[in-house]
């Protein structure tokens, strides 16, 4: 592989080799926007929500990780725990 290729292109190629296309057009029904999560946080606490957006700044810390998800309304920090999502899903997340 050419050493001058941007690391993002290498990750993209790796994802596609695994059968995942991050640019595929798929339907995803979100339950809330980032702004709605912020304004309704107290009533949403303890509930599951579905947010759609781009993942920024993943921070992997062993068996858990944090990341920012940004949509048109703002940013939300997410927390992923390997024991909650399973080994396979956690490994996929680590390689985003």
């Amino acid at each position: 592989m050419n050493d001058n290729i941007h690391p993002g292109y290498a990750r993209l190629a790796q994802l596609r080799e695994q059968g995942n296309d991050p640019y595929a057009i798929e339907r995803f029904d979100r339950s809330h926007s980032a702004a709605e999560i912020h304004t309704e946080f107290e009533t949403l606490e303890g509930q599951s929500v579905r947010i759609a957006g781009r993942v920024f700044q993943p921070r992997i810390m062993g068996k858990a990780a944090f990341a920012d998800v940004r949509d048109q309304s703002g940013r939300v920090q997410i927390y992923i725990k390997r024991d909650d999502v399973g080994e396979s899903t956690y490994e996929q997340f680590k390689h985003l």
Side-chain angles (χ1 to χ4, degrees):
M1 183 178 269
N2 185 341
D3 291 336
N4 294 327
I5 294 178
H6 188 277
Y9 291 119
R11 284 193 302 272
L12 177 59
Q14 184 180 23
L15 284 170
R16 286 185 171 154
E17 286 172 8
Q18 296 169 351
N20 300 313
D21 184 359
Y23 299 111
I25 298 173
E26 297 181 15
R27 177 102 176 122
F28 181 82
D29 294 320
R30 66 176 172 84
S31 63
H32 297 81
S33 68
E36 291 169 335
I37 292 170
H38 282 285
T39 59
E40 300 172 25
F41 182 76
E42 289 186 17
T43 58
L44 293 172
E45 192 167 3
Q47 297 180 32
S48 293
V49 296
R50 292 171 54 103
I51 184 170
R54 294 185 66 190
V55 176
F56 286 86
Q57 300 175 319
R59 297 168 298 282
I60 310 301
M61 301 174 185
K63 297 179 183 179
F66 292 90
D68 294 339
V69 176
R70 297 181 189 171
D71 67 9
Q72 72 281 2
S73 70
R75 173 187 72 87
V76 173
Q77 184 179 69
I78 61 170
Y79 171 71
I80 296 95
K81 187 175 172 185
R82 185 185 69 187
D83 294 342
D84 291 343
V85 298
E87 183 74 35
S88 173
T89 300
Y90 188 69
E91 284 300 313
Q92 283 183 322
F93 176 81
K94 284 172 47 177
H95 298 288
L96 287 179

